[in-house]
Amino acid sequence: MSLSTVQRSFARLGLGARSLATQPAPAAAPSTSSTSPSRSELPPTITPSSTTPPTSASSPAPSAALSPSVAGQHLPTPALSPHTPIPPKHSIHVATLHLRSHTSSLPQLTFFTSFALRSARALGLPTSGAISLPTKTSLFTTPRSPFAHKKSQQNFWRKEHKRAIKVWDGNEEVVTAWLAYLRKEAMGGVGMKAQVFEYREVGWGAKLVEEGNLRTEAVDGGEEAVRALAKELEGELKEGLEEGEKVEQEIKLAQGEREKKVLEETTEAEGKPEDK
């Protein structure tokens, strides 16, 4: 395999000639003669100044699928390469996602932060990248024993790591879908808190005031109907009370008649002579 073939293969993998220059030059073939080889017989070397590999007619042209954006759809960055967020156009702050975890869950925090950034890029949301917030350290002191070793104490500490992701120029529905997706794919040990900003057009408050005035006018105009309904309900309640009183009186009369029958039967049974 010649050196130009190796160079083209490294160029396809994304490596330039500068990385090839750091590799050791191939050793020269041993000569049978005892004399030192001339300068023309030495292998050619690649200087670090050449940043672009030589192209030939046989090498394939770069395809358009490797470009970061195709027809307005942003492709997610590869998993093994560093994430490159989409730059904002209008710099309108739409939402802020706060992620936090303790020291034991720091790898999960790093992984989930990258996952949130890549999912935002796949949805076409411009982000600011992962912003590291100050680490909060909490100290706890507890006694070893309440009696014999009361003066002996134990000290514990806990560190809380935080990350923030700002979202710019995003549609409200897309941001809601992104947050719902992150909530569904949440990881253990990583806490989330989202702060979403909603923007409305000018005059939106005036429309709300007009709608409120219309509602009050409808209520004022319907006072008579409300009063009529109240009177009907009052009449129905009175009728129900009267019917309830009648039923109670009938129940009392029935109970009195039953008690009279029981007394008569008992007196008759006591007045009859016993059969011998």
Side-chain angles (χ1 to χ4, degrees):
M1 183 183 292
S2 61
L3 187 60
S4 60
T5 306
V6 174
Q7 188 174 1
R8 285 199 300 271
S9 61
F10 274 95
R12 293 176 186 175
L13 295 175
L15 302 175
R18 186 178 297 274
S19 61
L20 287 176
T22 58
Q23 302 295 332
S31 58
T32 56
S33 61
S34 60
T35 58
S36 61
S38 61
R39 185 175 297 273
S40 60
E41 296 177 358
L42 292 175
T45 57
I46 302 175
T47 58
S49 60
S50 59
T51 57
T52 57
T55 58
S56 61
S58 61
S59 60
S63 60
L66 299 177
S67 60
S69 62
V70 178
Q73 298 180 358
H74 298 274
L75 298 176
T77 54
L80 299 178
S81 62
H83 174 70
T84 54
I86 303 172
K89 293 182 180 180
H90 307 286
S91 298
I92 299 176
H93 190 195
V94 173
T96 302
L97 178 66
H98 294 273
L99 304 174
R100 61 179 182 178
S101 70
H102 300 298
T103 305
S104 58
S105 303
L106 188 58
Q108 287 86 337
L109 176 63
T110 305
F111 178 81
F112 193 76
T113 302
S114 178
F115 174 76
L117 290 171
R118 294 172 187 276
S119 59
R121 180 183 174 86
L123 291 174
L125 293 174
T127 56
S128 61
I131 303 172
S132 298
L133 299 178
T135 303
K136 180 180 178 181
T137 304
S138 302
L139 300 176
F140 305 94
T141 302
T142 58
R144 292 179 182 270
S145 176
F147 180 65
H149 303 283
K150 188 174 183 181
K151 294 183 179 180
S152 179
Q153 297 178 350
Q154 289 179 330
N155 297 322
F156 301 93
W157 60 269
R158 184 181 66 181
K159 290 187 177 182
E160 186 177 357
H161 306 271
K162 300 178 183 179
R163 302 289 186 272
I165 299 174
K166 291 186 177 181
V167 184
W168 314 91
D169 307 336
N171 191 5
E172 183 177 352
E173 296 179 356
V174 179
V175 173
T176 305
W178 177 58
L179 294 175
Y181 178 65
L182 294 180
R183 195 182 304 111
K184 179 182 178 183
E185 302 294 337
M187 294 186 65
V190 180
M192 290 188 297
K193 183 180 72 174
Q195 185 180 13
V196 182
F197 301 95
E198 297 181 358
Y199 295 90
R200 297 292 182 265
E201 58 184 5
V202 179
W204 181 69
K207 291 181 180 179
L208 287 180
V209 173
E210 291 178 359
E211 291 178 359
N213 293 333
L214 292 174
R215 291 176 182 175
T216 54
E217 290 177 359
V219 171
D220 294 339
E223 285 183 359
E224 297 179 358
V226 172
R227 289 176 182 174
L229 290 173
K231 289 181 179 179
E232 290 180 2
L233 292 174
E234 186 178 358
E236 291 178 358
L237 289 174
K238 288 181 178 180
E239 291 178 359
L241 291 173
E242 292 176 357
E243 291 179 357
E245 291 177 356
K246 290 179 181 179
V247 171
E248 288 180 358
Q249 291 178 0
E250 291 176 358
I251 292 171
K252 288 179 180 179
L253 292 173
Q255 288 179 353
E257 292 178 356
R258 289 177 183 176
E259 290 177 356
K260 288 180 181 180
K261 289 181 180 180
V262 171
L263 289 173
E264 290 176 356
E265 291 176 355
T266 53
T267 53
E268 289 178 358
E270 291 176 354
K272 289 182 179 180
E274 296 181 356
D275 296 334
K276 294 182 179 179

